[in-house]
Amino acid sequence: LNAYPNPFNSSCRIETAKDAEIEIFDIRGNLVQKLDNTDVFTPNKDMPSGIYLVRAKTAEETVMKKIHFVK
């Protein structure tokens, strides 16, 4: 699981296995966004700056990575 740029201010590209389910969570564990048919996370205008977690799940494994959103 790779995410770049990190920190980011407008969008962040998420690289995972092709069949991975990608979800973005806030630091409290609340689901922020599920990425469907894209590998780019673009926060909405209401999202505060801070640390978010990217979770990529496949049938074989689940991996997580911290990303830092800066307005």
XYZ file of all heavy atoms in Angstrom:
567
model
N 0.861 -1.179 0.000
C 0.000 0.000 0.000
C 0.897 1.228 0.000
O 1.720 1.398 0.884
C -0.905 -0.028 1.233
C -1.740 1.206 1.510
C -2.707 1.502 0.383
C -2.502 1.019 2.808
N 0.740 2.065 -1.006
C 1.454 3.332 -1.099
C 0.449 4.460 -1.269
O -0.594 4.273 -1.889
C 2.411 3.352 -2.298
C 3.600 2.452 -2.095
O 4.200 2.444 -1.041
N 3.923 1.688 -3.118
N 0.792 5.615 -0.713
C -0.045 6.803 -0.859
C 0.881 7.996 -1.078
O 1.822 8.198 -0.312
C -0.896 7.014 0.380
N 0.611 8.757 -2.131
C 1.448 9.921 -2.416
C 0.639 10.987 -3.136
O -0.326 10.648 -3.828
C 2.682 9.504 -3.223
C 2.365 8.884 -4.558
C 2.249 9.666 -5.700
C 2.162 7.517 -4.678
C 1.956 9.110 -6.917
C 1.866 6.945 -5.903
C 1.766 7.749 -7.018
O 1.466 7.190 -8.237
N 0.957 12.247 -2.983
C 1.923 12.742 -2.001
C 1.357 12.585 -0.591
O 0.161 12.491 -0.402
C 2.078 14.222 -2.355
C 0.791 14.598 -3.020
C 0.309 13.340 -3.714
N 2.214 12.552 0.354
C 1.819 12.422 1.750
C 2.824 13.182 2.593
O 3.960 12.756 2.675
C 1.784 10.958 2.158
C 1.140 10.738 3.496
O 0.461 11.595 4.020
N 1.374 9.570 4.047
N 2.446 14.326 3.154
C 1.123 14.940 3.264
C 0.628 15.489 1.926
O 1.402 15.708 1.004
C 1.301 16.052 4.276
C 2.752 16.317 4.358
C 3.458 15.080 3.886
N -0.705 15.717 1.856
C -1.323 16.213 0.631
C -2.316 17.322 0.968
O -2.733 17.458 2.111
C -2.031 15.077 -0.120
C -3.236 14.534 0.586
C -4.508 14.912 0.189
C -3.114 13.652 1.638
C -5.626 14.415 0.829
C -4.227 13.145 2.280
C -5.491 13.531 1.880
N -2.678 18.122 -0.056
C -3.641 19.193 0.206
C -4.835 19.184 -0.747
O -5.820 19.844 -0.474
C -2.972 20.568 0.207
C -2.328 20.913 -1.099
O -2.484 20.204 -2.086
N -1.591 21.998 -1.119
N -4.767 18.501 -1.858
C -5.927 18.479 -2.757
C -6.371 17.059 -3.093
O -7.558 16.784 -3.153
C -5.643 19.263 -4.029
O -4.553 18.695 -4.714
N -5.442 16.164 -3.324
C -5.773 14.766 -3.577
C -4.564 13.895 -3.277
O -3.436 14.373 -3.237
C -6.243 14.559 -5.014
O -5.186 14.813 -5.906
N -4.843 12.619 -3.078
C -3.800 11.656 -2.742
C -4.041 10.389 -3.554
O -5.146 9.854 -3.554
C -3.872 11.360 -1.238
S -2.601 10.254 -0.637
N -3.021 9.932 -4.263
C -3.129 8.708 -5.068
C -2.811 7.513 -4.170
O -1.821 7.498 -3.472
C -2.170 8.746 -6.246
C -2.251 7.494 -7.105
C -1.538 7.643 -8.422
N -2.066 8.714 -9.243
C -3.167 8.637 -9.994
N -3.876 7.539 -9.998
N -3.547 9.659 -10.728
N -3.687 6.512 -4.242
C -3.541 5.303 -3.433
C -3.171 4.155 -4.368
O -3.904 3.862 -5.313
C -4.857 4.951 -2.703
C -5.447 6.173 -1.987
C -4.668 3.769 -1.778
C -4.639 6.720 -0.864
N -2.039 3.493 -4.104
C -1.613 2.344 -4.902
C -1.787 1.084 -4.063
O -1.236 0.986 -2.971
C -0.146 2.473 -5.311
C 0.120 3.532 -6.336
C 1.573 3.568 -6.762
O 2.440 3.005 -6.053
O 1.856 4.178 -7.798
N -2.562 0.137 -4.596
C -2.806 -1.137 -3.919
C -2.892 -2.238 -4.968
O -2.800 -1.971 -6.165
C -4.144 -1.116 -3.146
O -5.206 -1.000 -4.083
C -4.204 0.012 -2.148
N -3.147 -3.437 -4.493
C -3.440 -4.537 -5.408
C -4.718 -4.196 -6.170
O -5.594 -3.503 -5.649
C -3.622 -5.830 -4.617
N -4.839 -4.667 -7.392
C -5.975 -4.306 -8.244
C -7.328 -4.679 -7.656
O -8.310 -4.003 -7.863
C -5.825 -4.937 -9.617
C -4.762 -4.271 -10.450
C -4.984 -4.564 -11.909
C -3.897 -3.951 -12.739
N -4.213 -2.634 -13.224
N -7.397 -5.765 -6.919
C -8.677 -6.227 -6.387
C -8.957 -5.716 -4.969
O -9.902 -6.151 -4.333
C -8.737 -7.751 -6.412
C -7.668 -8.399 -5.552
O -6.656 -7.726 -5.245
O -7.841 -9.572 -5.189
N -8.174 -4.771 -4.476
C -8.333 -4.291 -3.102
C -9.540 -3.370 -2.966
O -9.835 -2.570 -3.843
C -7.074 -3.558 -2.647
N -10.217 -3.508 -1.836
C -11.280 -2.586 -1.449
C -10.617 -1.489 -0.624
O -9.965 -1.772 0.380
C -12.325 -3.336 -0.617
C -13.431 -2.469 -0.095
C -14.381 -3.275 0.765
O -15.020 -4.200 0.235
O -14.464 -2.976 1.970
N -10.779 -0.228 -1.035
C -10.079 0.885 -0.377
C -11.088 1.742 0.376
O -12.083 2.191 -0.197
C -9.329 1.754 -1.410
C -8.350 0.906 -2.213
C -8.606 2.901 -0.707
C -7.757 1.628 -3.397
N -10.798 1.963 1.663
C -11.646 2.805 2.499
C -10.776 3.811 3.240
O -9.640 3.508 3.593
C -12.416 1.959 3.510
C -13.373 0.984 2.859
C -13.984 0.021 3.841
O -13.244 -0.512 4.687
O -15.204 -0.182 3.770
N -11.331 5.003 3.466
C -10.641 6.072 4.188
C -11.399 6.305 5.501
O -12.620 6.457 5.496
C -10.621 7.386 3.374
C -10.153 7.154 1.935
C -9.789 8.444 4.088
C -8.740 6.682 1.783
N -10.652 6.346 6.609
C -11.227 6.569 7.930
C -10.600 7.791 8.578
O -9.421 8.090 8.332
C -10.959 5.359 8.848
C -11.631 4.106 8.390
C -11.006 3.256 7.497
C -12.891 3.777 8.844
C -11.620 2.090 7.067
C -13.518 2.619 8.424
C -12.878 1.763 7.524
N -11.376 8.481 9.432
C -10.773 9.547 10.221
C -10.043 8.909 11.395
O -10.080 7.687 11.582
C -11.801 10.605 10.652
C -12.857 10.103 11.611
O -12.691 9.031 12.233
O -13.878 10.805 11.759
N -9.382 9.716 12.189
C -8.534 9.207 13.268
C -9.352 8.504 14.360
O -8.836 7.682 15.100
C -7.632 10.331 13.842
C -6.456 9.754 14.617
C -8.436 11.292 14.685
C -5.470 9.047 13.753
N -10.658 8.788 14.426
C -11.528 8.132 15.410
C -12.101 6.819 14.893
O -12.806 6.126 15.617
C -12.657 9.067 15.823
C -12.141 10.292 16.578
C -13.262 11.179 17.001
N -13.904 11.711 15.802
C -14.994 12.447 15.790
N -15.602 12.726 16.928
N -15.490 12.903 14.668
N -11.805 6.485 13.645
C -12.273 5.226 13.083
C -13.569 5.313 12.316
O -14.119 4.290 11.910
N -14.074 6.524 12.089
C -15.297 6.705 11.309
C -14.983 6.631 9.818
O -14.026 7.252 9.354
C -15.936 8.064 11.611
C -16.320 8.209 13.064
O -16.918 7.316 13.648
N -15.960 9.333 13.665
N -15.803 5.891 9.083
C -15.626 5.789 7.636
C -15.905 7.147 7.002
O -16.959 7.738 7.210
C -16.571 4.734 7.047
C -16.500 4.541 5.544
C -15.124 4.027 5.126
C -17.585 3.579 5.087
N -14.944 7.660 6.249
C -15.061 8.955 5.568
C -15.475 8.754 4.120
O -16.345 9.444 3.603
C -13.726 9.732 5.649
C -13.754 10.975 4.794
C -13.390 10.058 7.082
N -14.836 7.799 3.464
C -15.107 7.585 2.045
C -14.645 6.193 1.646
O -13.637 5.691 2.144
C -14.369 8.630 1.218
C -14.722 8.657 -0.234
C -14.042 9.813 -0.961
O -13.447 10.700 -0.363
N -14.118 9.800 -2.262
N -15.395 5.587 0.732
C -14.998 4.327 0.116
C -14.673 4.640 -1.332
O -15.465 5.288 -2.012
C -16.142 3.318 0.207
C -15.793 1.964 -0.301
C -16.926 0.990 -0.039
C -16.548 -0.377 -0.539
N -17.598 -1.358 -0.266
N -13.492 4.232 -1.778
C -13.081 4.535 -3.145
C -13.560 3.434 -4.081
O -13.158 2.281 -3.955
C -11.561 4.679 -3.239
C -10.921 5.762 -2.371
C -9.433 5.858 -2.666
C -11.581 7.107 -2.585
N -14.451 3.779 -4.974
C -14.981 2.840 -5.964
C -14.480 3.240 -7.344
O -14.654 4.378 -7.758
C -16.509 2.863 -5.963
C -17.090 2.319 -4.667
O -16.558 1.312 -4.165
O -18.067 2.900 -4.171
N -13.860 2.317 -8.028
C -13.406 2.527 -9.411
C -12.426 3.685 -9.562
O -12.348 4.303 -10.609
C -14.602 2.743 -10.345
C -15.548 1.575 -10.316
O -15.114 0.433 -10.265
N -16.826 1.859 -10.320
N -11.714 4.013 -8.507
C -10.693 5.061 -8.596
C -9.604 4.745 -7.589
O -9.812 3.992 -6.649
C -11.278 6.461 -8.333
O -10.253 7.433 -8.538
C -11.814 6.596 -6.918
N -8.448 5.319 -7.789
C -7.361 5.165 -6.820
C -6.914 6.529 -6.306
O -5.824 6.672 -5.783
C -6.194 4.405 -7.438
C -5.637 5.086 -8.677
O -6.237 6.067 -9.141
O -4.602 4.626 -9.183
N -7.779 7.543 -6.459
C -7.454 8.896 -6.011
C -8.452 9.322 -4.936
O -9.662 9.282 -5.158
C -7.478 9.901 -7.178
C -7.222 11.315 -6.689
C -6.455 9.505 -8.237
N -7.930 9.692 -3.782
C -8.749 10.206 -2.697
C -8.738 11.726 -2.775
O -7.686 12.354 -2.695
C -8.209 9.744 -1.349
C -8.864 10.396 -0.162
C -10.239 10.443 -0.024
C -8.091 10.972 0.819
C -10.831 11.047 1.071
C -8.662 11.572 1.925
C -10.044 11.610 2.048
N -9.923 12.320 -2.948
C -10.078 13.767 -2.984
C -11.028 14.149 -1.855
O -12.221 13.851 -1.932
C -10.643 14.230 -4.335
O -9.788 13.755 -5.380
C -10.727 15.745 -4.404
N -10.506 14.782 -0.794
C -11.367 15.152 0.327
C -12.407 16.180 -0.075
O -12.159 17.011 -0.948
C -10.397 15.749 1.347
C -9.035 15.545 0.828
C -9.132 15.190 -0.609
N -13.572 16.136 0.586
C -14.572 17.160 0.302
C -14.202 18.442 1.050
O -13.328 18.442 1.919
C -15.987 16.675 0.642
C -16.186 16.419 2.104
O -15.742 17.174 2.958
N -16.882 15.339 2.431
N -14.866 19.529 0.730
C -14.489 20.843 1.282
C -14.708 20.961 2.783
O -14.102 21.803 3.428
C -15.268 21.935 0.562
C -14.898 22.053 -0.884
C -15.698 23.109 -1.597
C -15.304 23.137 -3.053
N -16.039 24.113 -3.817
N -15.581 20.111 3.346
C -15.884 20.178 4.767
C -14.913 19.399 5.638
O -14.956 19.510 6.857
C -17.303 19.647 5.019
C -18.356 20.469 4.311
O -18.112 21.671 4.056
O -19.416 19.904 3.995
N -14.057 18.587 5.035
C -13.140 17.770 5.831
C -12.063 18.624 6.471
O -11.431 19.444 5.804
C -12.478 16.700 4.958
C -13.401 15.554 4.634
S -12.611 14.280 3.636
C -11.234 13.816 4.651
N -11.841 18.423 7.768
C -10.780 19.170 8.436
C -9.402 18.582 8.128
O -9.283 17.408 7.765
C -11.115 19.003 9.918
C -11.859 17.714 9.994
C -12.617 17.602 8.690
N -8.389 19.404 8.271
C -7.015 18.914 8.168
C -6.789 17.880 9.254
O -7.417 17.927 10.301
C -6.024 20.059 8.362
O -6.131 20.997 7.337
N -5.881 16.962 9.009
C -5.567 15.976 10.032
C -5.065 14.675 9.460
O -4.794 14.564 8.262
N -4.963 13.693 10.336
C -4.483 12.370 9.954
C -5.675 11.490 9.634
O -6.654 11.444 10.385
C -3.635 11.760 11.077
C -2.374 12.600 11.269
C -3.281 10.306 10.759
C -1.535 12.190 12.444
N -5.583 10.777 8.521
C -6.610 9.842 8.085
C -5.942 8.495 7.853
O -4.720 8.423 7.671
C -7.298 10.341 6.812
C -8.143 11.561 7.076
C -7.578 12.833 7.088
C -9.494 11.443 7.359
C -8.345 13.956 7.372
C -10.269 12.559 7.641
C -9.688 13.800 7.650
O -10.450 14.906 7.939
N -6.729 7.442 7.876
C -6.210 6.093 7.676
C -6.785 5.511 6.395
O -7.991 5.587 6.160
C -6.588 5.188 8.849
C -6.102 5.652 10.215
C -6.713 4.799 11.314
C -4.597 5.605 10.284
N -5.913 4.921 5.594
C -6.323 4.224 4.383
C -6.280 2.734 4.705
O -5.274 2.235 5.205
C -5.364 4.506 3.208
C -5.787 3.725 1.982
C -5.280 5.984 2.925
N -7.389 2.033 4.443
C -7.417 0.585 4.640
C -7.656 -0.069 3.293
O -8.616 0.279 2.587
C -8.509 0.178 5.613
C -8.572 -1.342 5.806
C -9.490 -1.746 6.903
N -10.881 -1.539 6.493
C -11.904 -1.763 7.305
N -11.711 -2.152 8.545
N -13.127 -1.557 6.863
N -6.780 -0.991 2.936
C -6.917 -1.756 1.698
C -7.104 -3.223 2.069
O -6.250 -3.804 2.735
C -5.687 -1.570 0.820
N -8.246 -3.783 1.652
C -8.561 -5.173 1.976
C -8.620 -6.007 0.708
O -9.230 -5.610 -0.277
C -9.924 -5.269 2.676
C -9.957 -4.652 4.024
C -11.239 -4.844 4.813
C -12.472 -5.205 4.095
N -13.669 -5.317 4.949
N -7.960 -7.160 0.771
C -8.087 -8.173 -0.274
C -8.493 -9.469 0.422
O -8.598 -9.518 1.649
C -6.756 -8.385 -1.033
O -5.790 -8.900 -0.129
C -6.253 -7.110 -1.677
N -8.697 -10.516 -0.338
C -9.051 -11.805 0.246
C -7.921 -12.339 1.127
O -8.173 -13.044 2.097
C -9.387 -12.801 -0.851
N -6.685 -11.966 0.815
C -5.534 -12.499 1.539
C -5.102 -11.676 2.746
O -4.581 -12.210 3.711
C -4.316 -12.627 0.600
C -4.479 -13.636 -0.499
C -5.273 -13.102 -1.673
O -5.196 -11.889 -1.960
O -6.001 -13.896 -2.288
N -5.276 -10.344 2.680
C -4.758 -9.504 3.763
C -5.459 -8.153 3.827
O -6.123 -7.737 2.883
C -3.255 -9.293 3.607
C -2.868 -8.441 2.413
C -1.377 -8.215 2.304
O -0.673 -8.309 3.314
O -0.924 -7.943 1.186
N -5.263 -7.494 4.959
C -5.724 -6.120 5.166
C -4.526 -5.302 5.619
O -3.814 -5.712 6.540
C -6.824 -6.066 6.243
O -7.937 -6.839 5.800
C -7.274 -4.641 6.498
N -4.294 -4.174 4.956
C -3.188 -3.292 5.331
C -3.725 -1.883 5.525
O -4.733 -1.507 4.938
C -2.047 -3.304 4.281
C -1.360 -4.642 4.238
C -2.562 -2.945 2.906
N -3.022 -1.122 6.378
C -3.439 0.258 6.648
C -2.234 1.176 6.557
O -1.106 0.764 6.798
C -4.079 0.357 8.026
C -5.369 -0.432 8.122
S -6.229 -0.190 9.666
C -7.069 1.339 9.327
N -2.524 2.438 6.224
C -1.474 3.453 6.133
C -2.061 4.787 6.570
O -3.203 5.102 6.257
C -0.962 3.553 4.702
C 0.189 4.525 4.528
C 0.758 4.415 3.136
C 2.015 5.209 2.978
N 3.161 4.626 3.642
N -1.259 5.569 7.291
C -1.671 6.918 7.690
C -1.364 7.893 6.555
O -0.314 7.818 5.929
C -0.894 7.381 8.922
C -1.258 6.675 10.181
C -0.442 7.234 11.342
C -0.658 6.432 12.581
N 0.168 6.914 13.699
N -2.317 8.797 6.334
C -2.074 9.890 5.401
C -2.416 11.184 6.120
O -3.245 11.198 7.034
C -2.892 9.751 4.091
C -4.389 9.611 4.366
C -2.385 8.581 3.276
C -5.250 9.585 3.118
N -1.763 12.274 5.741
C -1.916 13.548 6.419
C -2.472 14.573 5.441
O -1.812 14.919 4.460
C -0.578 13.992 6.978
C -0.669 15.135 7.924
N 0.429 15.672 8.516
C -1.713 15.857 8.382
C 0.055 16.681 9.297
N -1.251 16.798 9.217
N -3.688 15.049 5.733
C -4.366 16.055 4.904
C -4.116 17.434 5.498
O -4.371 17.664 6.669
C -5.866 15.745 4.855
C -6.693 16.788 4.157
C -6.332 17.304 2.926
C -7.873 17.243 4.722
C -7.100 18.248 2.281
C -8.661 18.176 4.099
C -8.265 18.683 2.876
N -3.574 18.344 4.690
C -3.245 19.699 5.121
C -3.974 20.680 4.220
O -3.810 20.645 3.001
C -1.730 19.961 5.036
C -1.396 21.365 5.493
C -0.958 18.936 5.837
N -4.801 21.552 4.816
C -5.503 22.570 4.015
C -4.624 23.755 3.786
O -3.781 24.096 4.534
C -6.778 23.014 4.719
C -7.886 21.994 4.590
C -9.170 22.587 5.063
C -10.299 21.640 4.804
N -11.571 22.169 5.218
